[in-house]
Amino acid sequence: MNIFIDSPMSNDARRKELYAGSIFFHKPCSGSIKLCDLARKLTEEVFKPFDPRKIQESMPAERVAEILAVLKPKFIHHVKSKEFIQEMLGELGCDLGKTYFDVPRMRTAFPGDYLKSGIAYAFHPHRDTWYSAPFCQINWWMPMYPINAENCMAIHPRYWSQPLRNGSSQYNYYKWNLESRQTAAQHVKSDTRIQPKPEEPVELDPQFRLICKPGDVYQFSAAQLHSTVPNTSDLTRYSIDFRTVHLDDVWSRTGAPNIDSACTGTTMVDYLRGTDLSHLPPEAIALYEDGTETVYKNPATAQVITNEVAS
Ligand SMILES: [Fe+2]
């Protein structure tokens, strides 16, 4: 497991490293700066005249949740958001004809217990692969404002090769989309939606907290265990993340190893091609639809999946 800073490595070689647990950190480029600028502009508009990082001092959590429920989708589906991601991917050596991305998410982590469920969910330690992400998915993460060690995200490298008992066998992405996602803003003080969580104590240390600035972006595999750092600062953290897959790896089912994921359904339906925003071919999505990728990657979960699919 290595951490590469501004590496000139080719994208093919970089993905291999990412599938082996490495992390890639990139300095600001034109697309990443524009994406952050757009996100900050939209955020500052809705919280005017307050500083978005101190909004918890001026508004009740319920009102902030209502505002975020409008702001976040606006950013996610903004035509410029996609444009700036395309620009960023091109600048960072990705082949846009074969790189597919999903729409960017805006995340918030408020200080203390102010608001940490629903629309501002404070993520417990998880792998995205517990949430039906394919093992070739690569996550891209960037802060919108300067962050520090008290209001960032953490990666827990111990679990790259150590399985963790978890609830992913109960998770199906299609079912989640139908039943739970739309209600995020209603969960202000607690979140009753069933999500795949660790089912045994997690040793959070050692952990990486990459402290970077707006415009910086880092990449890590969807199979990395990661979590929201409890925000003990007095500033709300705003960040952006999105995900990519590469067509060659989708077809060949190349990616990180699966050591403990057993979910069904797939997020493959979400990715858009870097050139024209078209979806992946249906035959490629079908390779991931029934959970056989997790079986393929980890024969130990085969029985679990077979039972899940059968029931
Ligand atoms: Fe995640």
Side-chain angles (χ1 to χ4, degrees):
M1 189 179 291
N2 305 306
I3 299 180
F4 293 87
I5 307 211
D6 265 342
S7 166
M9 193 180 288
S10 73
N11 186 36
D12 286 347
R14 190 165 66 194
R15 295 199 313 281
K16 253 186 209 156
E17 278 287 342
L18 285 157
Y19 299 152
S22 293
I23 294 164
F24 282 76
F25 173 88
H26 308 281
K27 285 186 187 153
C29 58
S30 168
S32 69
I33 291 170
K34 288 183 197 166
L35 187 64
C36 276
D37 285 350
L38 171 68
R40 274 198 309 269
K41 182 173 157 267
L42 295 175
T43 306
E44 284 161 18
E45 268 169 20
V46 294
F47 288 130
K48 212 162 43 182
F50 304 111
D51 179 345
R53 290 167 297 175
K54 295 184 178 175
I55 197 64
Q56 63 281 359
E57 296 169 12
S58 310
M59 269 187 205
E62 287 77 5
R63 179 68 192 125
V64 169
E66 282 170 8
I67 292 173
L68 292 178
V70 176
L71 168 67
K72 290 188 174 183
K74 189 174 177 185
F75 171 72
I76 286 172
H77 300 295
H78 200 291
V79 66
K80 289 283 176 198
S81 296
K82 295 189 194 75
E83 241 178 77
F84 297 151
I85 288 180
Q86 289 168 299
E87 185 176 343
M88 185 191 323
L89 292 174
E91 286 177 282
L92 294 175
C94 298
D95 171 357
L96 291 182
K98 288 189 168 183
T99 301
Y100 289 68
F101 64 95
D102 70 354
V103 288
R105 306 300 200 279
M106 182 193 289
R107 315 274 185 191
T108 40
F110 291 90
D113 290 330
Y114 176 76
L115 176 58
K116 58 180 186 181
S117 52
I119 197 77
Y121 192 78
F123 272 94
H124 53 272
H126 69 280
R127 309 182 199 276
D128 285 15
T129 52
W130 292 351
Y131 288 78
S132 309
F135 288 86
C136 61
Q137 180 182 291
I138 291 164
N139 293 6
W140 301 68
W141 196 96
M142 52 206 299
M144 282 166 50
Y145 293 93
I147 52 172
N148 58 53
E150 292 178 279
N151 63 7
C152 58
M153 198 202 77
I155 291 175
H156 310 284
R158 172 196 303 269
Y159 294 101
W160 178 256
S161 52
Q162 186 176 315
L164 195 53
R165 204 163 61 241
N166 68 83
S168 62
S169 68
Q170 303 304 309
Y171 187 85
N172 176 285
Y173 183 61
Y174 301 149
K175 212 170 150 213
W176 167 264
N177 274 344
L178 279 177
E179 295 170 1
S180 302
R181 179 174 272 180
Q182 307 305 331
T183 63
Q186 297 163 17
H187 300 264
V188 176
K189 288 295 176 196
S190 66
D191 209 314
T192 53
R193 298 173 299 169
I194 295 169
Q195 305 204 33
K197 291 183 178 159
E199 294 179 343
E200 62 178 299
V202 181
E203 302 240 8
L204 293 175
D205 291 316
Q207 58 180 278
F208 295 126
R209 297 182 181 188
L210 279 94
I211 315 300
C212 51
K213 61 183 183 304
D216 289 340
V217 56
Y218 62 86
Q219 297 175 266
F220 59 97
S221 161
Q224 289 279 9
L225 193 79
H226 56 287
S227 65
T228 303
V229 168
N231 190 342
T232 51
S233 77
D234 56 358
L235 295 175
T236 297
R237 181 259 282 171
Y238 292 80
S239 60
I240 301 167
D241 56 84
F242 63 94
R243 300 149 203 84
T244 55
V245 295
H246 189 283
L247 186 61
D248 291 353
D249 298 342
V250 172
W251 283 123
S252 62
R253 301 217 271 198
T254 302
N258 177 14
I259 56 171
D260 60 13
S261 300
C263 45
T264 52
T266 178
T267 59
M268 282 291 186
V269 289
D270 292 343
Y271 307 110
L272 307 170
R273 184 158 57 188
T275 45
D276 58 3
L277 306 183
S278 62
H279 286 274
L280 281 155
E283 305 78 25
I285 296 171
L287 290 172
Y288 296 81
E289 218 140 39
D290 59 0
T292 56
E293 191 206 14
T294 37
V295 176
Y296 167 79
K297 291 280 184 185
N298 184 3
T301 63
Q303 196 56 45
V304 177
I305 296 289
T306 308
N307 292 342
E308 284 296 311
V309 169
S311 60

